[in-house]
Amino acid sequence: MTTFPLFLCFFCAIFLNGLFQQTGVDAGWTYGVNYGRIADNIPPPESVVTLLKAAKIKNIRIYDADHGVLTAFKGSGIEIVVGLGNEYLKDISVGEDRAMNWIKENVQAFLPDTHIRGIAVGNEVLGGTDVELWEVLVPAVKNVYNALYRLQLTSIVQVSSPHSEAVFANSFPPSSCIFKEDIVPVMKPLLEFFNLIGSPFFINAYPFLAYKNDPQHIDIDYALFKKNKGIFDTKTNLHYDNMFDAQVDAAYIALEKAGYPKMPVIVSETGWASHGDENEAGATLKNARTYNRNLRKKLMKKKGTPYRPKTVVRAYIFALFNENSKPGPTSERNFGLFKADGSISYNIGFTGLKPSSAAPSSLLSFKNLGFGCSYSMILTASSAVLMLILAS
């Protein structure tokens, strides 16, 4: 029998663990986009792949698990967080077998060629008006994770659940942020489970909404990352020159007060509307361009916030397209970085699928622009090596 040194086994275990983490949501990304499709005039998914590759956007969220989208992204290398909608939560919470069926049909069937790296279970459930959904969120999350575990997919697919700012009782200044008392009985076990499985805290952070709701007391320059006097948090002795950082740090501080100081925060949605109703302050094309251009610059620097300077900020921008079928105020249909025809809504450095009046833009071809790296073959080979070592 051949004997292998213990240190070699240990090295292989570390190597495999590194690969497992790589096959999950890429830790190196900072800029992602929400690909919403509540519209009847946007480009097909195949064209969206071309658009994203040209923009060098490698991480997206979708709000469902549409098979046409997942098929179109096959071999693209783009990492996707799929959504398990609120309408499924009650059914999924009943039993792990229902979660298993959903995952087999909507996730496992597309792996490994389509890089599904996360499942967002519900969206903005806590803090919403449907209290019945609050009660089924944690059981649904656990059933989804347990099904992934049984399918040996937990090293590839991460489980999360995005929240709105409505989960906080107060977020200004950031040091005062705490979770609302009425959601704590649900939020606490949810965070406990996420902490156990290593999931991040997803927060939808919108300086636009804060400004729109209180334009008399919020400096528009502070909301848009422009030069301003900022705010000073006397408790932490930290200065904030933009609202986005303050909102992210508020989430970190709320988590810390709840007992989870090491849980990472990811901004699952942020953006600025380029058009709105008369009563929607700040919803202009100029402001949308300024916010998204400055946010993109910030995220590309891969830096942290005043409270977490060593933790890189990661965010998914809302949204890829203007969505003409969304209900609600006019702003809801005008968050897109791109128009329905694939041209840019305004110039922040991206190229559209066709020339736009917003800025000079070259027409993209629809040929393959390259494939991302697949880890499945490396993972399989490395696993085999470790098994041989341990069996020897």
Side-chain angles (χ1 to χ4, degrees), residues 237-258:
N237 289 322
L238 294 174
H239 179 265
Y240 290 89
D241 59 12
N242 69 84
M243 186 184 293
F244 177 83
D245 276 349
Q247 289 182 330
V248 173
D249 276 353
Y252 273 121
I253 290 169
L255 288 169
E256 189 173 287
K257 290 178 180 178

Side-chain angles (χ1 to χ4, degrees), residues 20 47 94 119 158-159 164 189 223 247:
F20 281 142
S47 299
V94 171
I119 301 173
Q158 193 176 66
V159 179
S164 74
Q247 289 182 330

Side-chain angles (χ1 to χ4, degrees), residues 51-364:
L51 181 68
L52 292 171
K53 283 187 173 182
K56 294 182 171 57
I57 295 172
K58 300 178 181 179
N59 296 79
I60 68 166
R61 286 183 62 223
I62 59 177
Y63 292 88
D64 53 20
D66 183 83
H67 290 193
V69 172
L70 297 177
T71 299
F73 277 75
K74 179 180 179 180
S76 68
I78 296 171
E79 301 199 337
I80 305 172
V81 175
V82 300
L84 196 161
N86 293 351
E87 65 272 22
Y88 296 105
L89 295 186
K90 292 179 182 179
D91 184 58
I92 295 294
S93 71
V94 171
E96 188 181 314
D97 58 329
R98 302 190 184 192
M100 178 72 74
N101 291 337
W102 190 91
I103 291 169
K104 284 183 176 180
E105 180 180 347
N106 298 293
V107 176
Q108 188 181 42
F110 296 93
L111 296 171
D113 295 332
T114 300
H115 290 191
I116 300 172
R117 297 296 181 250
I119 301 173
V121 181
N123 188 51
E124 298 188 342
V125 174
L126 301 183
T129 57
D130 192 342
V131 180
E132 289 185 5
L133 282 184
W134 297 18
E135 297 171 354
V136 299
L137 179 59
V138 174
V141 165
K142 288 184 175 180
N143 284 340
V144 168
Y145 180 82
N146 290 338
L148 287 170
Y149 181 82
R150 286 173 55 191
L151 293 170
Q152 298 182 348
L153 294 177
T154 54
S155 62
I156 300 173
V157 182
Q158 193 176 66
V159 179
S160 59
S161 185
H163 305 287
S164 74
E165 294 280 335
V167 299
F168 301 131
N170 184 36
S171 60
F172 180 83
S175 62
S176 69
C177 192
I178 57 173
F179 290 109
K180 286 182 177 176
E181 189 175 339
D182 61 338
I183 71 164
V184 169
V186 180
M187 181 65 82
K188 184 71 175 179
L190 181 67
L191 294 178
E192 185 64 31
F193 187 69
F194 280 167
N195 188 58
L196 179 67
I197 64 176
S199 288
F201 182 80
F202 271 25
I203 184 68
N204 296 341
Y206 284 93
F208 165 70
L209 295 180
Y211 177 78
K212 184 187 77 167
N213 293 331
D214 193 12
Q216 289 80 23
H217 298 98
I218 295 176
D219 183 353
I220 186 70
D221 291 339
Y222 176 65
L224 294 174
F225 300 96
K226 295 176 71 175
K227 186 177 181 180
N228 67 95
K229 65 179 182 180
I231 67 160
F232 183 74
D233 192 325
T234 56
K235 187 172 183 179
T236 58
N237 289 322
L238 294 174
H239 179 265
Y240 290 89
D241 59 12
N242 69 84
M243 186 184 293
F244 177 83
D245 276 349
Q247 289 182 330
V248 173
D249 276 353
Y252 273 121
I253 290 169
L255 288 169
E256 189 173 287
K257 290 178 180 178
Y260 305 97
K262 295 183 179 180
M263 184 173 291
V265 172
I266 292 179
V267 178
S268 38
E269 287 183 18
T270 188
W272 198 286
S274 60
H275 185 55
D277 297 320
E278 289 185 5
N279 64 343
E280 295 189 284
T284 68
L285 189 146
K286 180 180 179 181
N287 288 341
R289 177 180 180 271
T290 300
Y291 180 81
N292 281 301
R293 181 189 62 209
N294 289 337
L295 177 60
R296 186 182 179 217
K297 289 180 180 178
K298 174 183 176 59
L299 295 175
M300 291 300 101
K301 291 179 182 178
K302 296 188 175 183
K303 293 184 177 181
T305 60
Y307 195 70
R308 288 282 191 271
K310 296 182 180 180
T311 304
V312 175
V313 180
R314 298 180 172 86
Y316 291 93
I317 314 307
F318 188 86
L320 190 59
F321 295 110
N322 288 332
E323 298 173 73
N324 70 333
S325 299
K326 290 197 74 174
T330 299
S331 62
E332 285 292 327
R333 295 176 287 282
N334 289 278
F335 274 90
L337 298 174
F338 297 88
K339 298 178 182 178
D341 62 4
S343 63
I344 58 174
S345 296
Y346 38 79
N347 184 18
I348 63 169
F350 293 137
T351 304
L353 291 175
K354 62 183 294 185
S356 169
S357 58
S361 174
S362 58
L363 183 65
L364 296 176

